[in-house]
Amino acid sequence: MKPQDIVAAKSSLWIFGYGSLVWKPDFKYRRSQVGYIQGYKRRFWHGDNFHRGNDESPGRVVTLIEDDDATTWGVAFEVSGSQLEESLKYLTVRETVRGGYVTKMVDFFPDGDDRLPVQALVYIATADNPLYLGPASPQEIGAQIAACRGNTGHNLEYLLRLAEFMRSSCPQVEDHHLFAVETAALTVVSYLLAAQ
């Protein structure tokens, strides 16, 4: 479903963020809620040659990989009225044109007891995308992240802000992949600093 079709059908919409959107949405929204989606795992398997890397040295950012047993935590933002069209226009450039992501509707479960799920739009990079880098060990991913920067900043900042979000907003969740990549990247950085 195209974002413009969603606008035509709804007066408000939830948008689920699981990467940089959790700390830097850059669009106006009515409210936000920490929570999770099911059936997907977050992985640093997508390349970024604009925001956190370049053509010669793409950074690594997260996408979602289907996995029936997995849960991914993040933030959903409710947009309504004029915010709806503005946010989707902005995200189409940020995620689809520059990032190579496609959109899907998923069930978002707000954190807390007795909260009913809501339908949310999510952006997912697929394996048939030219920027898709695929699986690698946490050590390889961490080393790549430690070395890359793009127009928005250092790839390491992206990783550290995502890890900080998880620790502060979802302290009960152990995101093994994220924290293993963080440890590997910080190890590389400490070696580089020690070598100076």
Side-chain angles (χ1 to χ4, degrees):
M1 181 180 270
K2 290 187 169 69
Q4 57 267 31
D5 298 336
I6 294 161
V7 174
K10 294 181 178 281
S11 59
S12 77
L13 174 71
W14 287 90
I15 298 167
F16 179 68
Y18 56 90
S20 58
L21 287 183
V22 301
W23 77 84
K24 192 178 179 4
D26 278 346
F27 56 83
K28 291 191 176 85
Y29 54 90
R30 200 163 102 192
R31 58 187 169 140
S32 65
Q33 175 76 48
V34 171
Y36 61 91
I37 63 171
Q38 295 175 322
Y40 292 94
K41 58 189 178 187
R42 175 177 24 228
R43 290 293 181 266
F44 280 89
W45 290 3
H46 193 53
D48 183 333
N49 63 357
F50 183 83
H51 295 291
R52 302 292 176 171
N54 55 48
D55 289 334
E56 293 76 44
S57 188
R60 275 197 181 249
V61 292
V62 290
T63 186
L64 295 175
I65 307 299
E66 289 187 30
D67 179 340
D68 290 343
D69 300 325
T71 297
T72 297
W73 283 77
V75 180
F77 302 90
E78 186 184 22
V79 293
S80 60
S82 63
Q83 297 171 345
L84 185 56
E85 202 165 346
E86 287 165 21
S87 61
L88 288 176
K89 242 184 232 174
Y90 168 73
L91 288 169
T92 295
V93 172
R94 175 170 161 169
E95 308 292 345
T96 311
V97 177
R98 290 207 179 110
Y101 290 71
V102 297
T103 54
K104 283 190 180 179
M105 294 300 290
V106 294
D107 283 330
F108 168 74
F109 297 84
D111 192 17
D113 297 332
D114 304 325
R115 305 296 279 281
L116 293 172
V118 295
Q119 281 277 291
L121 179 73
V122 66
Y123 289 80
I124 301 173
T126 58
D128 58 5
N129 183 299
L131 289 170
Y132 193 80
L133 299 175
S137 70
Q139 291 71 28
E140 288 174 86
I141 295 171
Q144 191 173 350
I145 287 173
C148 290
R149 66 176 303 120
N151 295 316
T152 308
H154 205 288
N155 203 178
L156 186 64
E157 178 201 16
Y158 175 102
L159 167 63
L160 296 179
R161 282 182 181 263
L162 185 53
E164 173 54 30
F165 160 78
M166 286 300 295
R167 287 193 182 95
S168 61
S169 299
C170 318
Q172 75 284 15
V173 180
E174 184 57 46
D175 190 322
H176 298 287
H177 176 76
L178 172 62
F179 296 142
V181 170
E182 180 194 32
T183 298
L186 290 174
T187 301
V188 169
V189 170
S190 67
Y191 286 144
L192 293 173
L193 291 173
Q196 287 184 345

